[in-house]
């Protein structure tokens, strides 16, 4: 079972993600530079957090035009589990793989704090081991985390069960307090908070078990495939 | 010989999208202590393209296409206003 972590110029959460996938969950993980190709039979792909291209013009927009995104789109169509975390979520949104847009937090500040996520969809490759409405203590670290969607599209997301996580309380002005969404097929998930920073008890001051289940969900999904 | 044009692109959020930065500048700077006839401030971003084209219309069309194709503005929430000047 192989998982790919894509690295864009300016990504800086790739190593934390690689460490968690490799050292905690014992997955065969490989870094893929944004100009490389992804193997057709890769089991899962993660787009990590960071500041790709320094967030120039708009967070994620330049990285969304990277050569590797062509392969990400093909894998998305194939049904491969794909997770975008923070900047990774911004890139997936700008690449058209997920609905909505990420804007500056209404506080206009970079927000770096622990918050709570509520699971709204436990059928994705990253949430199938969680209970519906389970709470996940998890950190956010972003300046452009305000998820925006218009009323009509929000109705669509609700109808199609595409809202994966919501913030427990209003945090950054996100529409409907949305913290993470998936595509219609449910295999591509984007989330603003950092699950890779919440998995280890040493750095999670609250409860590391729920975020561990995000990765265990992935193990379950790709284990079943093989 | 094709002349150089300066094509100015203003990217701003659509009116329905709230603009906390503009609101802060208005409420916490401009209106603070003063009654002012200013009722709204909206922020945007300017990109200035220098382009060699045969005429202004073509220069504008080329830059519009670049903005649309490369998602220089996010059409979900933003709009662009394009003006062409002689360079």
């Amino acid at each position: 079972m192989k998982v790919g972590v894509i690295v864009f110029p300016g990504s800086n959460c790739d190593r934390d993600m690689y460490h968690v996938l490799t050292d905690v969950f014992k997955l065969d993980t490989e870094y893929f530079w944004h100009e490389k190709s992804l193997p057709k039979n890769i089991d899962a792909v993660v787009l990590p957090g960071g500041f790709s291209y320094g967030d120039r013009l708009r967070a994620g927009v330049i990285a969304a035009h990277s050569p590797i995104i062509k392969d990400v789109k093909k894998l998305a169509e194939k049904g491969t589990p794909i997770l975008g975390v923070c900047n990774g979520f911004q890139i997936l949104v700008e690449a058209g793989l997920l609905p909505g847009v990420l804007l500056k937090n209404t506080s206009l500040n970079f927000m770096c704090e622990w918050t709570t996520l509520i699971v709204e969809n436990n059928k994705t490759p990253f949430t199938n081991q969680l209970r519906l409405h389970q709470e996940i203590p998890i950190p956010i670290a972003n300046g452009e985390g305000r998820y925006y969607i218009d009323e009509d599209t929000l109705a669509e997301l609700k109808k199609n069960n595409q809202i994966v996580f919501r913030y427990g309380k209003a945090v950054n002005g996100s529409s409907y307090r949305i913290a993470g969404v998936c595509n219609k097929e449910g295999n591509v998930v984007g989330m603003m908070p950092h699950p890779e920073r919440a998995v280890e008890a040493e750095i999670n001051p609250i409860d590391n078990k729920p975020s561990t289940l995000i990765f265990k969900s992935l193990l379950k999904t790709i284990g079943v495939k093989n | 010989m094709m002349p150089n044009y300066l094509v100015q692109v203003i990217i701003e959020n659509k009116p329905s999208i709230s603009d906390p930065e503009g609101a802060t500048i208005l409420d916490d700077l401009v209106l603070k202590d003063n009654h002012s006839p200013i009722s709204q401030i909206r922020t945007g971003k300017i990109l200035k393209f220098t382009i060699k084209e045969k005429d202004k219309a073509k220069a504008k069309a080329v830059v519009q296409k670049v903005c649309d194709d490369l998602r220089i503005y996010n059409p979900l929430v933003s709009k662009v206003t394009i003006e062409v000047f002689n360079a």
Side-chain angles (χ1 to χ4, degrees):
Chain A
M1 267 147 272
K2 191 185 217 86
V3 179
V5 174
I6 303 181
V7 183
F8 299 93
S11 297
N12 67 6
C13 304
D14 47 317
R15 289 174 195 223
D16 284 352
M17 185 57 76
Y18 182 96
H19 155 70
V20 163
L21 292 167
T22 311
D23 299 325
V24 179
F25 295 101
K26 315 293 181 206
L27 285 163
D28 178 14
T29 313
E30 191 178 328
Y31 292 112
F32 287 90
W33 180 236
H34 75 123
E35 288 170 340
K36 296 258 184 278
S37 311
L38 287 165
K40 286 193 182 71
N41 59 353
I42 202 163
D43 292 287
V45 176
V46 179
L47 286 80
F51 297 90
S52 58
Y53 295 94
D55 282 357
R56 299 284 186 252
L57 185 60
R58 217 161 54 240
V61 65
I62 300 178
H65 292 286
S66 284
I68 205 167
I69 295 294
K70 276 198 213 68
D71 287 350
V72 174
K73 287 183 175 172
K74 286 199 195 113
L75 290 168
E77 254 173 77
K78 214 178 117 190
T80 306
I82 296 170
L83 179 68
V85 172
C86 205
N87 190 221
F89 183 13
Q90 292 160 337
I91 296 168
L92 288 173
V93 151
E94 289 293 343
L97 284 166
L98 287 174
V101 65
L102 277 324
L103 300 173
K104 256 195 201 158
N105 300 331
T106 39
S107 66
L108 302 179
N109 288 328
F110 186 91
M111 301 183 70
C112 190
E113 57 192 63
W114 283 82
T115 189
T116 305
L117 287 189
I118 315 286
V119 177
E120 297 289 327
N121 174 343
N122 66 345
K123 303 272 187 276
T124 76
F126 304 96
T127 51
N128 59 57
Q129 297 299 293
L130 290 150
R131 282 183 332 267
L132 213 51
H133 305 133
Q134 182 162 2
E135 292 190 357
I136 311 176
I138 199 165
I140 53 168
N142 58 64
E144 293 174 54
R146 173 188 166 200
Y147 184 79
Y148 174 82
I149 201 94
D150 59 67
E151 285 302 314
D152 291 339
T153 318
L154 176 60
E156 280 289 306
L157 292 194
K158 286 178 179 173
K159 193 176 97 191
N160 299 331
N161 200 17
Q162 286 178 253
I163 299 169
V164 180
F165 300 109
R166 291 180 72 199
Y167 295 106
K169 59 172 175 67
V171 127
N172 54 20
S174 292
S175 300
Y176 197 56
R177 297 203 319 265
I178 290 172
V181 297
C182 65
N183 59 345
K184 275 205 192 80
E185 296 73 19
N187 62 311
V188 181
V189 172
M191 59 190 296
M192 279 315 293
H194 288 266
E196 78 281 11
R197 293 185 195 176
V199 157
E200 293 161 287
E202 291 86 345
I203 58 169
N204 185 326
I206 307 156
D207 181 5
N208 67 315
K209 290 183 204 62
S211 43
T212 306
L213 293 175
I214 293 177
F215 292 91
K216 290 207 163 151
S217 300
L218 176 62
L219 286 178
K220 178 107 209 279
T221 304
I222 62 183
V224 165
K225 258 200 199 156
N226 286 279
Chain B
M1 199 187 94
M2 295 206 289
N4 264 333
Y5 291 106
L6 184 72
V7 181
Q8 182 170 279
V9 175
I10 300 179
I11 305 168
E12 52 189 318
N13 281 345
K14 293 177 178 168
S16 57
I17 311 296
S18 72
D19 183 351
E21 193 173 6
T24 304
I25 297 169
L26 177 70
D27 296 332
D28 297 337
L29 194 66
V30 172
L31 294 184
K32 205 173 177 177
D33 303 323
N34 293 305
H35 168 72
S36 173
I38 298 170
S39 58
Q40 189 184 67
I41 298 178
R42 302 276 296 180
T43 59
K45 185 178 274 188
I46 291 187
L47 300 183
K48 294 182 181 181
F49 292 73
T50 301
I51 178 170
K52 218 186 261 293
E53 263 304 335
K54 64 175 170 66
D55 55 45
K56 279 187 175 177
K58 183 80 170 116
K60 183 175 182 178
V62 168
V63 171
Q64 176 79 58
K65 189 167 194 310
V66 165
C67 290
D68 293 339
D69 291 351
L70 296 181
R71 284 175 69 98
I72 288 204
Y73 69 105
N74 188 320
L76 216 71
V77 291
S78 305
K79 60 185 174 87
V80 286
T81 312
I82 304 183
E83 258 192 277
V84 188
F85 304 93
N86 292 319

